[in-house]
Amino acid sequence: MAATTTVPGVARPRGRAATGGRERALWREWARSLDRPLTSYYLVLGTGVMLIALGLVMVLSSTMVDSITATGSAFSMFQRQMVAACIGLPLMIVASHLPHTVFRIAGYPAMIVSVLLLLLTAFQGTEINGAMRWLEIGGLSIQPSEPAKLAFTLWGANVLARREELREMTEWRHLLFPLLPGVGLLALLVLLGSDLSTTLVLLLVFLSLLWVVGAPGRMFVAMFGLVLALAVIIIAIEPYRITRVTAFLDPGADPTGDGFQSLHGLYALGTGGVFGVGIGASREKWGFLPFAESDFIFAIIGEEFGLIGTLVVISLFGVLGYAGLRVARRVEEPFARLAAVALVAWILGQAMINIAAVIGLVPVTGIPLPLVSYGGSSLVPTMLALGVLLALAKSEPQARKALAARGPSRPQRALSWLGLENVGASVHKRGGATVPRRATTARGPRGTRGGRTTAKHRSGPVPAGDRPRRNRRP
């Protein structure tokens, strides 16, 4: 009987091939999961909820010291943020079930209200830290420039969508009017309150709308150059903004003055290392880092959760941006496409400006990190914007079919009871949007099909199948 010998090298390639096959299968399964009908919806919902939850945790951690000093309770500022989140959550849920035409209608009154509130803030606002950005209404302090971002996003998307539906995008004036005067008015009113960062976000949304609608390259470059020129002029005419620029170029030149905040933000990031010092263990929040709960909350995240935590936050914003652009690519209506890109430009643009200021890539701007920083005036409109993006995600063709197969949900039944579902269809018809006609088959003489018999009409020949017939069944 012949002895058999086992060669050790024979089994290894099989194991490696099997492992590689399993990895490829898992990769294909993950890739297929991205093609599911409601992937965009769940990506927006999941990342939004995680950012809101992270923001509540970090607001509690970064405000405990200041809350105890001001009120004697460690939870006073956190409770305000929680109230704002409880207000924004039902608004987000309701908005996610509304038809698009409700958002199109809401854009016009929202713009009017925003302009009035900004005018009132410019003359009757409350000055805090040298800026006239807040307005006292009923004992509450709000910042009207934050909801103005959402108002301009919806209004601007509707204006350009109407132009596209009416086929009026052939001339440059149709692209810029009334979009450019609208953003110019809002930017001027916001600048009266010394808020350059919000002005930049509004202009960023304006440029994103022009880019999506397919503005000519020369026009887009001209508008981009105009925005940069205005930013340089606005910085040059204000001494404190020039001081911020010089502090950005060399923060170590005045470590206890103008460069104090930037340096301590970098200290917080450097102290956190890779894994952080632990949640609640930040040392910079003990009076060393100004505005740790709002403008520089990303630095506290880096200190307590380390490099891993900051990368997770950046990844969440990246996934949210991917989901928004995915919605814009898949939807069919012009308004949905424009609104999705404008919302992504607003949220991601603001997040990029905030993070860049914290890590020292741009001068300190004083803009909050969306969904994370402290402040109900920023949190509630941003959560409402997430609801709009969720509604747009559900309007993808495949998502619409999947939801129709499931049947109406409880919020949809409640909205139909209020009559909001019929509002969208009626307004869509009155708005002059193009409604696709039902396909008709032209009929020839009796007994034949597919003929080309036509009838006289003042607008030209009309197929015989489109002519009205007597006693035709509806």
Side-chain angles (χ1 to χ4, degrees):
M1 182 174 180
T4 58
T5 58
T6 303
V7 181
V10 173
R12 277 180 207 163
R14 294 179 182 176
R16 291 174 184 171
T19 303
R22 285 195 299 268
E23 290 177 356
R24 286 193 296 271
L26 291 174
W27 176 262
R28 285 194 297 267
E29 183 66 24
W30 179 81
R32 281 196 298 267
S33 66
L34 292 179
D35 291 331
R36 293 176 181 176
L38 294 173
T39 297
S40 302
Y41 176 84
Y42 288 121
L43 285 177
V44 174
L45 180 62
T47 53
V49 169
M50 285 190 284
L51 285 171
I52 294 169
L54 176 64
L56 291 174
V57 173
M58 295 311 303
V59 166
L60 175 60
S61 175
S62 59
T63 59
M64 294 181 69
V65 177
D66 293 337
S67 297
I68 292 175
T69 304
T71 63
S73 172
F75 304 99
S76 57
M77 297 180 71
F78 170 74
Q79 289 172 352
R80 298 175 194 169
Q81 188 76 353
M82 180 63 73
V83 169
C86 292
I87 294 173
L89 183 61
L91 293 177
M92 182 178 72
I93 294 174
V94 171
S96 66
H97 290 87
L98 291 176
H100 298 172
T101 45
V102 174
F103 305 134
R104 300 184 71 163
I105 298 171
Y108 289 92
M111 275 289 289
I112 296 173
V113 172
S114 298
V115 170
L116 294 178
L117 289 178
L118 288 172
L119 280 172
L120 192 59
T121 304
F123 297 101
Q124 299 292 332
T126 302
E127 185 176 351
I128 300 177
N129 297 323
M132 191 81 69
R133 305 177 186 176
W134 288 265
L135 185 64
E136 295 287 342
I137 299 178
L140 297 177
S141 180
I142 65 172
Q143 192 171 350
S145 60
E146 293 296 330
K149 301 173 187 175
L150 178 59
F152 175 71
T153 298
L154 298 179
W155 175 78
N158 184 36
V159 166
L160 292 181
R162 283 279 306 208
R163 299 291 191 190
E164 186 172 344
E165 290 166 352
L166 296 176
R167 302 181 183 275
E168 294 180 350
M169 308 293 285
T170 56
E171 299 182 11
W172 65 269
R173 59 186 180 91
H174 293 150
L175 294 174
L176 298 181
F177 185 83
L179 193 64
L180 183 59
V183 69
L185 178 60
L186 286 180
L188 178 62
L189 294 175
V190 171
L191 283 175
L192 291 177
S194 300
D195 193 353
L196 177 60
S197 55
T198 300
T199 304
L200 294 177
V201 173
L202 290 172
L203 294 175
L204 181 62
V205 174
F206 167 71
L207 291 176
S208 67
L209 288 172
L210 290 182
W211 178 71
V212 174
V213 84
R218 293 180 180 179
M219 178 189 297
F220 188 82
V221 172
M223 291 296 103
F224 186 77
L226 179 62
V227 169
L228 289 180
L230 288 176
V232 172
I233 293 173
I234 292 169
I235 292 173
I237 62 178
E238 289 287 349
Y240 79 93
R241 292 193 181 113
I242 298 178
T243 303
R244 285 186 177 181
V245 173
T246 56
F248 158 71
L249 296 176
D250 188 10
D254 190 8
T256 60
D258 297 327
F260 183 83
Q261 188 178 24
S262 298
L263 287 176
H264 279 270
L266 296 176
Y267 293 161
L269 293 172
T271 304
V274 177
F275 299 103
V277 298
I279 184 170
S282 169
R283 292 185 286 271
E284 290 294 332
K285 68 183 180 183
W286 288 81
F288 296 103
L289 181 60
F291 303 105
E293 74 283 355
S294 56
D295 302 343
F296 273 71
I297 197 169
F298 187 76
I300 303 300
I301 294 174
E303 184 179 10
E304 295 188 353
F305 293 99
L307 177 64
I308 303 299
T310 58
L311 292 179
V312 168
V313 173
I314 295 174
S315 300
L316 288 176
F317 278 109
V319 173
L320 180 60
Y322 163 76
L325 294 178
R326 174 190 170 98
V327 171
R329 185 172 59 89
R330 289 174 173 248
V331 293
E332 297 175 345
E333 299 179 9
F335 171 78
R337 183 177 67 253
L338 290 165
V341 174
L343 290 171
V344 169
W346 161 23
I347 297 176
L348 259 69
Q350 183 170 327
M352 291 172 61
I353 294 173
N354 176 274
I355 295 173
V358 172
I359 64 179
L361 294 180
V362 298
V364 177
T365 57
I367 193 171
L369 186 63
L371 301 173
V372 180
S373 293
Y374 172 78
S377 297
S378 175
L379 180 62
V380 174
T382 311
M383 292 182 68
L384 186 56
L386 277 183
V388 176
L389 195 56
L390 288 172
L392 299 178
K394 292 196 297 186
S395 67
E396 294 181 7
Q398 297 300 323
R400 192 179 300 170
K401 293 179 182 179
L403 293 173
R406 292 183 181 181
S409 60
R410 291 181 180 179
Q412 286 175 332
R413 288 195 293 267
L415 293 174
S416 63
W417 181 77
L418 294 173
L420 290 177
E421 288 187 350
N422 297 326
V423 172
S426 61
V427 174
H428 188 68
K429 292 180 181 179
R430 289 198 303 268
T434 57
V435 180
R437 292 173 52 187
R438 221 165 87 182
T440 57
T441 304
R443 295 178 180 268
R446 184 173 297 182
T448 62
R449 293 180 181 268
R452 299 180 178 272
T453 306
T454 58
K456 293 291 183 178
H457 194 269
R458 59 185 176 184
S459 61
V462 179
D466 291 343
R467 287 183 290 170
R469 291 183 291 180
R470 294 181 181 178
N471 301 327
R472 189 175 184 176
R473 293 181 180 179

